[in-house]
Amino acid sequence: MRRTAALLGLSHAVEYSAQLLLPVLLVRLLSPEDFGGYRLAWLLATSAATLLTLNIAHSLVYQVARVAASQRAALLGNAVVTLLLVGLLAAVAVSPWTGLSGALFDTSSHATLWFAALFVLGWVASQPYDHVALAAG
């Protein structure tokens, strides 16, 4: 139990430090226009992740403890599939296929736009994994 708590605490410390240091690093490296586009894209992504996922990842802690052990795998699987589909929709929204990414970023580099789309997909789809240890415990 102590090891699990220590690993969870370490992962949250790394996450919070990255959330603090990434904007500071980006404000130094990006032009003001690109940084504004990054902030707007991040605002859209976090708002979409909260609204479109209906807070499924956070509710796993509550739901998993209240279902039978035989149904836990199905509950977690459904949450992962749902968030993967929402992440795919969000990735398409910020991909070069839409005009949204062209309005936010310099479109001379399609690799950057595809990286942003893959990041959004991975970020939204991985949300349940932050809470699986708490839900399974």
Side-chain angles (χ1 to χ4, degrees):
M1 183 70 165
R2 288 183 184 175
R3 183 176 178 200
T4 303
L7 288 175
L8 282 173
L10 179 65
S11 68
H12 282 285
V14 168
E15 178 186 3
Y16 289 135
S17 63
Q19 287 179 8
L20 177 69
L21 295 177
L22 183 65
V24 172
L25 180 67
L26 288 177
V27 79
R28 303 272 186 223
L29 296 175
L30 298 176
S31 69
E33 294 82 19
D34 286 340
F35 185 74
Y38 151 74
R39 292 302 297 164
L40 184 58
W42 193 250
L43 176 66
L44 290 171
T46 54
S47 299
T50 302
L51 296 173
L52 296 176
T53 61
L54 301 175
N55 219 8
I56 290 173
H58 294 290
S59 68
L60 285 177
V61 176
Y62 177 79
Q63 292 174 357
V64 169
R66 286 159 177 77
V67 297
S70 61
Q71 295 176 335
R72 287 183 184 169
L75 182 65
L76 291 172
N78 289 339
V80 169
V81 168
T82 301
L83 291 175
L84 185 63
L85 291 174
V86 170
L88 186 61
L89 289 173
V92 168
V94 297
S95 73
W97 293 334
T98 64
L100 178 64
S101 60
L104 297 176
F105 299 108
D106 178 22
T107 57
S108 62
S109 173
H110 282 289
T112 303
L113 298 177
W114 284 112
F115 176 74
L118 289 175
F119 174 77
V120 168
L121 170 65
W123 177 58
V124 173
S126 67
Q127 283 184 354
Y129 299 112
D130 289 341
H131 305 284
V132 166
L134 290 173

